[in-house]
Amino acid sequence: MRIAREDESHLEKWLVSCLGEIHQPSPESLTKYIIALLKQDGEQDKLRGNIQEELQTFLKSNTAAFVARLFVALQGIFCIDMLLIYCVIRFQATY
């Protein structure tokens, strides 16, 4: 999955906050691991399953809910990016 640098920074902050809410002792380290997992190539469903499997050790009973929340957040990031691109194209076409 491709993540723009500016989105990665926002995602890191969001992940640290979410992981802190579920009482992870070192949310910064786990955040870096999650971002590395997200950068792997593959279909979204396969990537999601892989991430859920990898995080089970760390998040235990919170894993499924966390991964669902993560992918909803990612969809929001990509929707905002697409909306911005659309607005720029429309603006350029107008002027």
Side-chain angles (χ1 to χ4, degrees):
M1 175 179 290
R2 291 183 185 205
I3 303 172
R5 285 187 180 160
E6 58 272 7
D7 292 337
E8 187 173 328
S9 173
H10 296 295
L11 182 58
E12 282 180 17
K13 291 175 187 172
W14 183 83
L15 284 167
V16 168
S17 174
C18 287
L19 293 169
E21 288 175 13
I22 53 178
H23 308 293
Q24 283 300 304
S26 58
E28 293 82 8
S29 298
L30 192 51
T31 291
K32 290 178 183 182
Y33 181 59
I34 292 169
I35 289 175
L37 291 171
L38 285 169
K39 289 182 176 181
Q40 294 176 349
D41 289 334
E43 296 178 16
Q44 185 171 339
D45 289 340
K46 189 174 182 179
L47 181 63
R48 184 180 182 140
N50 182 45
I51 289 172
Q52 187 154 338
E53 186 178 312
E54 292 292 324
L55 294 181
Q56 185 66 40
T57 303
F58 303 102
L59 303 179
K60 302 192 185 335
S61 64
N62 295 311
T63 305
F66 174 80
V67 171
R69 191 173 172 191
L70 171 61
F71 277 83
V72 166
L74 289 170
Q75 286 176 350
I77 289 171
F78 293 125
C79 286
I80 289 170
D81 284 349
M82 293 306 293
L83 180 61
L84 290 172
I85 291 168
Y86 173 77
C87 289
V88 167
I89 291 170
R90 294 280 299 182
F91 179 79
Q92 289 175 344
T94 306
Y95 294 98

